[in-house]
Amino acid sequence: MSLTPQAALDELNAKTRAIAMLNSCASLLGWDERTYMPPQGGPHRAEQLALLAGMTHERLVDPRIGELLSTLRNSDLVTDPDGDPAVIVREVGRSYDRAVKMPRSLVEEITRTASLGQTAWEEARAKADYAIFKPWLAKMIDLKKQEAEAVGYQVDPYDALLDDYEPGATVAITGTILTQLRTELVGLLEKIRGSSRRPRLEILNRRYPIERQKEFGRLCSEAIGFDYQKGRLDVTTHPFCTGIGPGDVRLTTRYNEQNFAHALFGTLHESGHGIYDQGLDPRHFGTPLGDFISLGIHESQSRLWENLVGRSRSFWVHFFPRAQQAFPEALADVTLDDLFFVVNDVRPSFIRVEADEATYNLHILLRFELERAFFSGQLSVDDIPAVWNEKFRAYFGLTPPTDREGCLQDVHWSAGYIGYFPTYSLGNLYAAQLFAQAQSDLGDLDAMFARGEFAPIKEWLGRKIHSQGRRFRAADLVQRVTGKPLSSAALMSYMNAKFGALYGF
């Protein structure tokens, strides 16, 4: 007896929820690997993660899922393309179609190599020794090439990886957007360099006790809406957020006793990710309706809270007195305007996660170009440090003193996240366009922030973005929410207004 469409949907949801539980277990192991795992635990952890990845893959490529999808694709349940059943079928089908092209052995080897590669990367970064990491990067590039060939692509093999993080994105589309943004940013940076105004940089070279930084960072994180009854904050080498599942979202940051801004804005950034994960509908856990849309949209949430909120003057109208209470010695001679200017300082710097808004996307463009070069075989892994430094000089006028500040600074390549970096710039563009719409819908956001009222925009984002799951693709979502296709207009308008006021142009 054949299944009714509703029975097929129920069975499909049960299977994807079981897969999500396995992924949740792997996420917890991955979080522990980068926070509390002993140094010698790497090889065993790699085998644990490889086993889980293989089990997950085996369940995802179960022919029964294909049968259920076939039943549902021809049913009346999917008549409304934006309805719950149609979204589930579309998105599970997309994952299934990709997964069945990937051999389990390749999935396990990528996972194993990512785990061991991250351990090697941490050692290489600590010792500023690229040679330690190089063989792992070479192996990962080869494995990701195998993945691209397995899943297929229409024009560029890099598209196969980019599409995994930002569904529908291609090198042609993304490259055009980034090139246009670079042109506009160069003009902005020229105006800033031509200004005689400069912030008091010594403010961020004072002593900020780490325990007080932890208290202040958590205060700000809670104020914008991250729920610590459903999450926690820990220390790591490279900050990240991991959503384990409903009621469990893990944030991480890192501290610099001479610069509280590093940890604070890192915490706000990861809190933005965490607020998104906490805003997903727990009733739909394990289905596309309880999952995030894309990494670009996820990044839009972190960059919105970090920059458009956290670096706004109105944010500091509210938090400056509290910062003075937390750091009375360091901020004794500092005014609100002094602090606002220094946390919005624009100048070339080595570390992407600590870069200002105006130069940040140039960091992304550099990585995008390098990834395309080494993935296509035009650049050897032997030459990555030298080419990185050469491009860095061209983009920023600086030469990294060691590879720690250069090609070893990011965890992504060790983890196999090739194709991930472009989503950061897309996130900045999404963030500015969404924020502008929120301002239009909600009224004077600056007045709200100055009063410490962050709930209205958090609730707006929850309603418009978080609770939607993967109902809409990123480009379609932005069009629906803002009434416009994605462009650089909102981001450049925001940056020109803010930096124009600060630097006097």
Side-chain angles (χ1 to χ4, degrees), residues 128-285:
D129 186 355
Y130 175 74
I132 295 171
F133 176 53
K134 184 175 72 171
W136 293 101
L137 177 56
K139 183 174 182 180
M140 181 58 77
I141 291 170
D142 178 66
L143 290 170
K144 299 303 281 188
K145 286 180 178 179
Q146 293 180 47
E147 177 181 336
E149 293 302 322
V151 301
Y153 51 88
Q154 290 188 337
V155 178
D156 191 316
Y158 187 85
D159 288 345
L161 305 185
L162 179 58
D163 180 74
D164 196 30
Y165 301 118
E166 197 69 15
T170 64
V171 168
I173 296 171
T174 304
T176 299
I177 292 173
L178 292 184
T179 299
Q180 177 187 357
L181 184 59
R182 176 177 59 184
T183 300
E184 294 176 303
L185 288 172
V186 167
L188 174 64
L189 291 170
E190 286 178 354
K191 293 178 183 178
I192 292 172
R193 279 194 292 266
S195 171
S196 60
R197 297 185 185 181
R198 290 292 180 268
R200 294 174 55 194
L201 292 180
E202 80 277 3
I203 292 171
L204 296 182
N205 286 308
R206 300 176 178 182
R207 182 173 179 271
Y208 296 90
I210 288 176
E211 285 306 312
R212 294 185 196 172
Q213 287 192 50
K214 290 180 179 179
E215 294 171 3
F216 184 66
R218 175 159 173 155
L219 172 71
C220 295
S221 174
E222 286 183 309
I224 67 172
F226 184 76
D227 186 350
Y228 279 90
Q229 294 301 307
K230 301 176 181 178
R232 57 180 292 132
L233 175 64
D234 294 276
V235 179
T236 192
T237 303
H238 187 105
F240 65 95
C241 168
T242 295
I244 307 299
D248 190 354
V249 178
R250 312 292 177 95
L251 312 181
T252 63
T253 194
R254 62 188 181 201
Y255 296 94
N256 178 345
E257 194 170 47
Q258 276 67 52
N259 189 331
F260 83 96
H262 289 174
L264 174 62
F265 290 108
T267 299
L268 289 175
H269 181 99
E270 301 307 336
S271 295
H273 282 303
I275 289 169
Y276 188 176
D277 286 343
Q278 290 181 342
L280 296 171
D281 191 335
R283 297 172 302 169
H284 293 298
F285 172 74

Side-chain angles (χ1 to χ4, degrees), residues 65 67 69 177 222 237 348 379 395 465 504:
I65 289 182
E67 295 169 6
L69 288 169
I177 292 173
E222 286 183 309
T237 303
L379 176 65
Y395 276 35
I465 311 287

Side-chain angles (χ1 to χ4, degrees), residues 22 54 69 112 203 216 281 301 324 375 387 399 425 441 488:
L22 285 174
L69 288 169
R112 183 181 294 109
I203 292 171
F216 184 66
D281 191 335
Q301 304 305 284
Q324 288 181 308
F375 196 68
V387 174
T399 301
S425 286
D441 290 353
S488 60

